[in-house]
Every structure is written in structure tokens, then in C-alpha cells.
Amino acid sequence: MLEFMEGSHAVAEIVKRCRPQVIAAYPITPQTHIVEDLAQMVANCEIDAEYITVESEFSALSACLGASAAGSRVYSATTSQGLALMFEVCFNAAGMRQPIVMTIANRSLGAPLSIWNDQQDSISLRDSGWLQYYAEDNQEAADLHMIAYRVCEDHDILLPAFVCFDGFILTHTYEPVTLPSQEEVDAYLPAFKPYQRLDAANPLSMGMYATPEYYTEFRYEIDRALYRAKDAFARAGREFGEQFGRDYSALVEGYRLEDADTALVAMGSICGTAKDAIDEMREHGRKVGLLKIRTYRPFPGPEIADALKGVSTVAVLDKNISLGNGGAVGTEVKSALYGSGAAVYDYIIALGGRDVRKKDIAAVVDLAEKGKGDMFYGLRTEVL
């Protein structure tokens, strides 16, 4: 059923239909509307779940971790400083192989304090062992939650996942969204069957102390599971397409790349602006395309190399900064394209919610085609 709704409400509605048994979250802008909606749904008996009110984000994810270990399907949501406070628990969740799904309403990190959007928060946890999926619009944000549960709970994967969508730009924007019925979701996402769980009748321990003789092998197993998650995502995305008509089997998605000389690479809502800008540039005879990265972890390096073969110039739009090194996405795209012959340039853009318009996308293309890159785009030198 097609409905016109706020992005946060669309996510809350689809999470409800995924039937989490335990929800724990602490409200923080711009994530708040999601957990407010879910709390109201629990209070109204629209969802059979335990909603745990906590005093911090650290406690929220800790509660989810314990509930998951006890055998429940769980859910949380956060952003920015809240995700930073969860840092320790994020590594524990992945290390304990708990299939937690958490929405990240992407927001910049302080200081200075900013409530506006970039992707620094989730990018900063790229090495934590969580799967990371990025949505271009609210339809994709809703759909990716169903797919995330399918992938996370696969007994060959058993890892937690971030479903990321841009704060305010998507969370607070109203768009048409098609939400499947409860029966349709149930047909796609079966009831949770934990691989193992804490049980007094059959005691076991999780996340125990590991000596140097064992620690490396634990990290290796997480790394291998992340690589296996590529096929699991493609399979879940393809089956989603067969049932709902929206195929998400591709880890990366090209737009007008067939004959492109220059390609933009980006994640999240900026891809929509980029597509509009590309259409206008195409009208003026410029061969420009876009490669959207949907899954940042596991990183789709070979898929990126395959999609961009034949492209001579690549401009990466990085809504983050790995301080002292450049953009995180740009660094990895350069690695993926090493030896390809393509010139790859990185542009730090849209930090702290700075607006990016079609003219800015066109300006980035101009810079890349002139060989000018690896810079903070739009830097206001007069205030330095």
C-alpha cells in the first residue's frame, strides 16, 4: 500500500512488522521520532514487544545485547553522540555474533556540536564488525530493515547491522512509501530462530576472556562472516525483489554508467541529487554517471572495480573525514581501483549538514575532469 509519510514513521512501521521481541533505545535528535512511534505502538498493544526504557545509549545497546543473547529478535536506533557512547558495546555485539538490527539516523559528531547530517557517526565504526547499509530514500530505508534481519539472522552470518539513512534529509522528510502488509512481511521474514542462546538448563558463556592463542581466530571468523554477507545480502535482496518488485540484490547500483567517462561515487540521499545533476549534464552532452554504494560493510571492492571499468575519471563524494588521511570511502575506492588506470579524486562534502545542490555536483565534476581533487569542497577560507 502506497502511503505518504515521514521517513522516521516509515521505519517504525516496518520495524513493527518485523516483529522485534525487545526494543531498547534512548531518544536523540534526529532519531527520536522512530523510537517515539515504536514506544506508542507497544503501549497501544500494536506490537508484542518489551520496550525497555534506559538512561543512556550505552544501556540501550547493552540491553539489546543481553536480550539477543537470551534468544530474542531485538531492535534499537541511535545517531551521532549516542552511537559514540555505544562504541564499546558495538564491538561486543559483533564479537558475540548477535544479529542486532539498529537504525542510524546519520548525524555529524561534535565538537563543535551539530545536529545536522553527515555520515561521520556510522563511518567511524566501520571496523567494529557491523554490517553497514545506506539508503538513498525512505523507501529503500524501510526495505533495508527487512533485508538486514534476513542477513543478520542467517546462521552462516550472525552479525549485527546498521541501517543508515540521512538525518533530517530523510528522517524528517515526507515521501511516498509502499509498506507491505504484516502477512507479506511474515512471508519474507520468518520467526527468529536463534543459533544459540543463554539457557539455565543448558549453560554456556559468550564474550569470554580470550588469550593470545585464540583471539586472532575470533577476529578472523568475524572477518570471514562479513565477506559471506555479500552473497547473503544479494540472495535476500533478490528474493525481496521477487516478492515485492524492488530488487536489492546489487551491493552497488549504477546510474547512466554505460558510456560514462566520469563517474560519481556516493552513499545515501546525496545520490538522488547527483542523479538529477547527471540528467542535466547529460542534456548538455556530458558523459557522467553515478555509482551508488549500498553496502559499505562488507566493502564491495571488486563490485566497484567491475562497475567502473572503462571510466577514466572518478569523483568520490565523502560525507565524512578520516582526519589526517582523507575521506574513508574515497580511500577504499582508490584501493579498489588501483591499477585500473582511472584517475580517482576524493571530495569531502556536506559535513555538518551543509547543503549540496545540483550546481555543486556539477562543480565537483568540473574539478575532477580538470584533475583537481582530494579536497574539502566548498571550504570557506574567509572564516579560517
Side-chain angles (χ1 to χ4, degrees):
M1 179 179 179
L2 185 64
E3 300 181 51
F4 189 66
M5 64 177 65
E6 185 189 73
S8 293
H9 184 63
V11 167
E13 284 289 340
I14 206 65
V15 168
K16 178 182 75 171
R17 290 162 170 78
C18 289
R19 298 187 186 275
Q21 295 157 300
V22 175
I23 301 168
Y26 191 84
I28 176 173
T29 302
Q31 156 264 41
T32 309
H33 291 182
I34 301 171
V35 296
E36 281 182 345
D37 280 354
L38 286 167
Q40 191 66 57
M41 292 170 185
V42 172
N44 291 343
C45 299
E46 297 174 29
I47 177 173
D48 184 15
E50 182 75 21
Y51 192 103
I52 304 175
T53 55
V54 291
E55 81 286 353
S56 73
E57 289 85 0
F58 180 92
S59 295
L61 191 54
S62 296
C64 286
L65 179 56
S68 181
S72 297
R73 177 177 286 165
V74 301
Y75 172 79
S76 189
T78 192
T79 183
S80 186
Q81 314 297 139
L83 181 58
L85 190 55
M86 292 176 170
F87 182 94
E88 176 185 345
V89 193
C90 283
F91 278 81
N92 287 337
M96 291 169 63
R97 308 297 294 275
Q98 297 303 316
I100 300 166
V101 172
M102 181 159 65
T103 306
I104 308 299
N106 284 122
R107 178 188 130 183
S108 56
L109 282 163
L113 176 65
S114 170
I115 64 169
W116 306 108
N117 168 253
D118 58 38
Q119 295 165 343
Q120 191 70 58
D121 47 4
S122 51
I123 293 287
S124 296
L125 277 159
R126 60 189 179 275
D127 299 328
S128 64
W130 285 61
L131 307 168
Q132 292 199 17
Y133 305 137
Y134 288 78
E136 176 184 347
D137 54 35
N138 289 330
Q139 182 69 68
E140 187 170 19
D143 294 343
L144 284 175
H145 284 80
M146 295 172 60
I147 295 171
Y149 275 113
R150 276 284 298 268
V151 176
C152 291
E153 294 173 0
D154 185 326
H155 286 185
D156 201 37
I157 309 301
L158 294 175
L159 287 173
F162 295 154
V163 178
C164 306
F165 73 140
D166 289 333
F168 290 111
I169 298 171
L170 294 180
T171 59
H172 288 56
T173 296
Y174 280 70
E175 293 181 344
V177 178
T178 298
L179 291 178
S181 68
Q182 184 64 67
E183 293 73 22
E184 289 173 324
V185 175
D186 290 342
Y188 177 78
L189 180 64
F192 180 45
K193 294 181 180 179
Y195 177 74
Q196 59 186 10
R197 65 184 182 89
L198 298 175
D199 185 350
N202 185 26
L204 59 85
S205 297
M206 299 181 185
M208 296 295 288
Y209 177 79
T211 62
E213 291 80 9
Y214 294 97
Y215 185 84
T216 295
E217 287 69 29
F218 276 99
R219 307 310 291 173
Y220 173 82
E221 290 286 2
I222 297 170
D223 183 65
R224 293 301 95 185
L226 275 161
Y227 279 106
R228 291 195 297 272
K230 284 188 174 184
D231 288 338
F233 181 89
R235 184 168 56 251
R238 182 170 54 254
E239 293 175 8
F240 188 97
E242 291 169 358
Q243 183 171 343
F244 301 106
R246 297 181 296 280
D247 191 300
Y248 292 102
S249 58
L251 282 66
V252 296
E253 186 175 281
Y255 181 76
R256 306 193 76 166
L257 278 177
E258 296 79 7
D259 62 342
D261 295 324
T262 300
L264 295 158
V265 178
M267 304 192 305
S269 64
I270 197 172
C271 293
T273 305
K275 289 176 181 177
D276 289 342
I278 287 168
D279 289 342
E280 291 187 0
M281 285 185 278
R282 284 279 180 168
E283 290 175 0
H284 291 88
R286 303 182 69 178
K287 294 183 178 181
V288 183
L290 167 72
L291 186 67
K292 179 176 80 173
I293 297 176
R294 180 175 286 128
T295 67
Y296 179 61
R297 283 293 182 272
F299 188 73
E303 292 81 2
I304 290 172
D306 183 64
L308 296 180
K309 59 186 178 184
V311 172
S312 59
T313 304
V314 177
V316 183
L317 306 177
D318 250 314
K319 296 178 72 171
N320 71 87
I321 173 65
S322 181
L323 296 167
N325 185 63
V329 180
T331 299
E332 298 191 56
V333 170
K334 289 179 180 181
S335 176
L337 295 180
Y338 181 77
S340 69
V344 184
Y345 302 106
D346 191 23
Y347 300 88
I348 311 304
I349 197 166
L351 298 187
R354 185 167 295 183
D355 199 18
V356 176
R357 304 184 181 188
K358 291 183 291 184
K359 65 180 182 181
D360 298 305
I361 302 296
V364 166
V365 171
D366 289 341
L367 288 167
E369 291 181 345
K370 293 175 182 176
K372 299 178 180 179
D374 298 335
M375 63 174 67
F376 282 74
Y377 173 80
L379 189 66
R380 298 179 60 225
T381 56
E382 70 273 14
V383 301
L384 297 178

